[in-house]
Structures are given as structure tokens and as C-alpha cells.
Amino acid sequence: MTTPNPSKNVLNSDVEIKGNVKFSGELTLEGKLEGEISSDGTLQVGETGTVNGNVSAGTVIIRGKVNGNVSARDKIELKSKAEVFGDIRSAKLAIEEGVTYVGKTEVNPNKLAPSAQPPVRPNPTSEPAKTAVLR
């Protein structure tokens, strides 16, 4: 496939892949993938896109479905109608109204490694992690 900008890749809705995917630049997935995705670039899971496996990228934008853990170095965006079943870890997180999300969230905007001792909080009764379903 020849494209004007080789750093932008699109896997259309008629594409089904079983296996791991690595890419650089930007990838838009409108098809189905059963396997891992890893990249330093930007992954967009389109409205018809489905991923059954873990995702790790620089930036992840989800409009479709992901069944697996999602990790992004920079940012994760969950767009309206997205469905995510797995844990999320990123420096920044944006969730729109209408998202279905079940999992744990770790957002660390300072990108600091967790210290051996947790920070002192003004309220000693910290709440446990919650499962959120936003509609």
C-alpha cells in the first residue's frame, strides 16, 4: 500500500489480524486485532475497531472497543461510545461522556516513579480504586 505520508497507516474495517502489531508514526485501526499492539507513536482505535489484547503506545485514542490493558506514555483519550475493559495507565487521561470503562486507572502527570512510601494525605481514609461506567 502506497500512501502520501508513510508514517500514517490505516487498517480498515475489513481487516482482521491475529498476532502482535508494532508500528511507528500513526496507526488507525478500524478492523479487528487479536494480539498486542506496541508503539511509540499514536494509535487510534476507530468506531469499528476492536482490540483483544494489551495496548502500549505514546498516545492512544479509543472510539471503538478494547479488551485488554492500555498504557500510554503521553495521553489516553476515551471518546464517546468507546468501550474499554482493562486497566489504564498514562500520564494524562481524557474521558468523554458516553464511555463504558471497567478497570483500574493510574494517571501520573509528573511521570515520577512511585516512591517507597506513599505521600501523606490530609484525609487518612483514602478510597479504594473504583470501577466506573460512564453513560
Side-chain angles (χ1 to χ4, degrees):
M1 180 170 114
T2 305
T3 57
N5 184 350
S7 66
K8 285 191 173 191
N9 302 292
V10 178
L11 297 175
N12 291 319
S13 59
D14 60 345
V15 174
E16 291 187 27
I17 298 174
K18 289 187 179 181
N20 298 334
V21 173
K22 291 184 179 183
F23 67 93
S24 59
E26 186 176 325
L27 173 67
T28 299
L29 174 68
E30 292 289 351
K32 295 179 182 174
L33 173 75
E34 192 170 318
E36 310 272 320
I37 298 177
S38 63
S39 174
D40 288 331
T42 299
L43 171 69
Q44 292 197 45
V45 179
E47 289 182 12
T48 60
T50 302
V51 177
N52 289 306
N54 295 332
V55 174
S56 177
T59 298
V60 180
I61 302 166
I62 302 172
R63 291 180 173 84
K65 298 178 183 178
V66 175
N67 294 304
N69 297 333
V70 181
S71 175
R73 185 185 67 245
D74 298 321
K75 177 172 61 170
I76 295 174
E77 294 181 27
L78 303 181
K79 300 294 188 179
S80 179
K81 299 181 184 176
E83 295 181 20
V84 179
F85 298 93
D87 296 345
I88 285 179
R89 184 177 186 186
S90 180
K92 296 177 187 173
L93 174 64
I95 302 177
E96 290 185 357
E97 187 175 343
V99 168
T100 300
Y101 169 60
V102 179
K104 296 177 185 173
T105 305
E106 181 181 335
V107 179
N108 187 355
N110 298 323
K111 299 181 184 178
L112 298 174
S115 60
Q117 294 180 324
V120 178
R121 296 179 185 221
N123 183 356
T125 58
S126 62
E127 294 184 27
K130 294 182 180 179
T131 300
V133 177
L134 307 175
R135 297 193 187 245

